[in-house]
Amino acid sequence: MKKLSIILICIILIIFSIPSFSAVKVERLRFNNPDFIKGMDISSVISLENSGVKFYGFDGKESDIFKILSDNGVNYIRVRVWNNPFDKDKNGYGGGNCDVKTACEIGRRAAKYNMKLLVDFHYSDFWADPGKQKAPKEWENLTLDEKCEKLGLFTANSLNEIKSAGADIGMVQIGNETNSGIAGEYTSENTAKIFKRASEAVREFDGKIKIAVHFTNPEKTETIKYFADFLNEYNIDYDVFAVSYYPYWHGSLANLTSVLDYAAEKYGKYTMVAETSYANTLKDTDGHPNTVSENSNNSGEDLLWDFSTQGQADEFRAVAKSVNNVKNGKGLGVFYWEGAWITVGDISGLNSEDYENRLESNKTLWEKHGSGWASSFSVEYDPDDAGEWYGGSAVDNQAFFDSEGRALSSLKVFKYIDKEMILGDTDDNETVNIRDATSIQKFLVQLKDINETAADVDGDGAVTVKDASAIQHYIAKIKTDYPINQVID
Ligand code: CA
């Protein structure tokens, strides 16, 4: 009896010491574009690694995050580039301190695992978005012509450095969310000159690289159409018309498709979502408030998904589907924004003294390595926003990794979304054998993660012991009721 209780306790300990698996179900999409981009922006990742963050794949082993992403279907990496995100004493402004050197490192590692790179030039020393499009410090007092000259050189030199580091540059974004202007220029005439010089510099560098323009607020349909018309009117040479799409701000998916259709149909451009993300929980883990939380951005008619790993996967698929629906096969892909910007130290569940200590330690890391969205050093460049509200990650609950850096099941959306699944192939190794039946049994006691879609052999909408039996019967050739070993459509 005593022996039995020890065994029982051991089993319970084993079950609870292993991360609980909550597999996701993702229906396949048929992409009109065979090279559909399933991308991720992980611009802050080097600063996280410098802060001591580690990442773990589905085997539970520590691994290079670029390998984890590539193994799980991510085929493109996006990185933002700021000209000089440092003060005169070389203190970083934060947000990953993403200068050209950082982009080199990210591009090199992405290429090592066969992922292309999208270089996202902000043409600023820190965040460029609809609220701010400030010129880099070095360009502040230049005439427009001088600024264009500098910008052309900066573009060419940066691309040359990033390519020389080993990156496979597939696309370049000339400006980031450039609704209000670009590089400190705000009139149509002036911004057009900036766009033109940037575009020329990329074309001169390598004619095969796709050039993307990027705007936001797609819910403002007429504004987005205006930008497409503006680019045409000023003869700006580009390939991809991209927008951001955050479902808590940016309207319906049907509207998203329709604004992209406009650029695709009227001007023959490729289209894409350059940024999207969704929360898998409303919990914060680093002590810095999140964009989507108990208090903000958590409701609205366009939020169609739960705040769970399944919801996060569903959101990505839904956005990908909306881009895939763009007319004439002009939907090029989707990038998930900052899918790995997790905490540098988990504050959840701590008592108040430990909480304060951990928060202090996090703040030290954010300041030292730039792993928060902004550091106190950014005050000289961006006094009203970053200089005032600096801190940690506002999206740690929108990453595809938990607070310890372990891959969440939602990450599998990148693979499953266009994977030819084989019925019964629960471990995605392209064959059905007895291990698949065992995997289902292990999954049922939460000891293993499996491909739930492939595992639902009898198609009753749930993975049960009947599915394991069906696979056993199939292998023993006793009964072949279901199309096991055939591709699921
Ligand atoms: Ca946070």
Side-chain angles (χ1 to χ4, degrees), residues 370-437:
S371 44
W373 83 273
S375 76
S376 66
F377 307 110
S378 63
V379 67
E380 62 163 36
Y381 186 72
D382 183 12
D384 300 331
D385 186 13
E388 183 163 357
W389 307 107
Y390 64 89
S393 170
V395 292
D396 50 83
N397 60 337
Q398 302 194 39
F400 288 96
F401 296 85
D402 71 8
S403 63
E404 301 295 322
R406 293 178 296 222
L408 294 171
S409 53
S410 44
L411 179 61
K412 295 202 167 170
V413 66
F414 290 85
K415 181 184 267 185
Y416 289 174
I417 198 169
D418 67 352
K419 188 178 157 55
E420 205 170 68
M421 287 188 198
I422 296 169
L423 191 67
D425 180 20
T426 66
D427 51 10
D428 296 318
N429 73 347
E430 319 290 326
T431 60
V432 179
N433 56 32
I434 195 67
R435 281 202 304 271
D436 293 299

Side-chain angles (χ1 to χ4, degrees), residues 42 45-46 49-50 64-67 70 76-79 81 99-119 158-170:
I42 51 167
V45 77
I46 307 294
E49 291 176 345
N50 292 340
D64 186 338
I65 183 172
F66 290 84
K67 181 175 190 307
S70 173
Y76 228 111
I77 295 292
R78 177 176 184 255
V79 64
V81 172
D99 60 358
V100 175
K101 198 169 140 253
T102 307
C104 288
E105 176 67 1
I106 287 180
R108 181 186 68 76
R109 284 169 63 185
K112 186 176 170 190
Y113 297 104
N114 301 314
M115 296 182 287
K116 283 181 181 284
L117 190 72
L118 162 53
V119 180
S158 302
L159 292 177
N160 194 37
E161 251 185 87
I162 296 166
K163 189 180 176 184
S164 302
D168 180 10
I169 305 171

Side-chain angles (χ1 to χ4, degrees), residues 284-290 392-396:
D284 169 54
T285 52
D286 75 345
H288 181 85
N290 289 340
S393 170
V395 292
D396 50 83

Side-chain angles (χ1 to χ4, degrees), residues 211-365:
I211 297 176
V213 292
H214 177 210
F215 302 93
T216 187
N217 298 107
E219 79 285 9
K220 295 178 182 167
T221 311
E222 293 311 311
T223 306
I224 295 298
K225 288 181 178 174
Y226 164 83
F227 289 129
D229 294 340
F230 156 80
L231 293 162
N232 180 63
E233 190 186 329
Y234 283 89
N235 244 329
I236 311 296
D237 176 20
Y238 73 99
D239 308 296
V240 186
F241 187 89
V243 296
S244 295
Y245 179 77
Y246 294 101
Y248 31 92
W249 295 325
H250 293 156
S252 72
L253 289 165
N255 184 67
L256 170 68
T257 305
S258 83
V259 297
L260 296 180
D261 272 341
Y262 185 78
E265 280 195 300
K266 190 159 182 189
Y267 300 115
K269 300 298 180 184
Y270 283 108
T271 63
M272 124 187 143
V273 166
E275 295 182 16
T276 189
S277 69
Y278 201 71
N280 56 60
T281 169
L282 293 178
K283 221 178 86 181
D284 169 54
T285 52
D286 75 345
H288 181 85
N290 289 340
T291 308
V292 178
S293 70
E294 295 285 357
N295 310 314
S296 59
N297 298 317
N298 61 17
S299 62
E301 60 182 312
D302 299 313
L303 298 190
L304 309 172
W305 316 275
D306 294 336
F307 296 113
S308 63
T309 45
Q310 182 65 54
Q312 187 185 22
D314 288 344
E315 191 265 354
F316 183 81
R317 184 186 183 279
V319 175
K321 187 179 174 188
S322 303
V323 174
N324 193 43
N325 284 345
V326 170
K327 295 204 174 93
N328 307 333
K330 290 291 186 182
L332 196 60
V334 180
F335 285 86
Y336 193 94
W337 193 70
E338 286 285 6
W341 202 348
I342 59 171
T343 179
V344 295
D346 196 342
I347 48 82
S348 40
L350 299 177
N351 66 38
S352 62
E353 195 189 332
D354 290 344
Y355 175 91
E356 288 307 326
N357 289 338
R358 181 64 55 82
L359 188 57
E360 270 317 302
S361 138
N362 286 358
K363 283 178 179 170
T364 306
L365 292 169

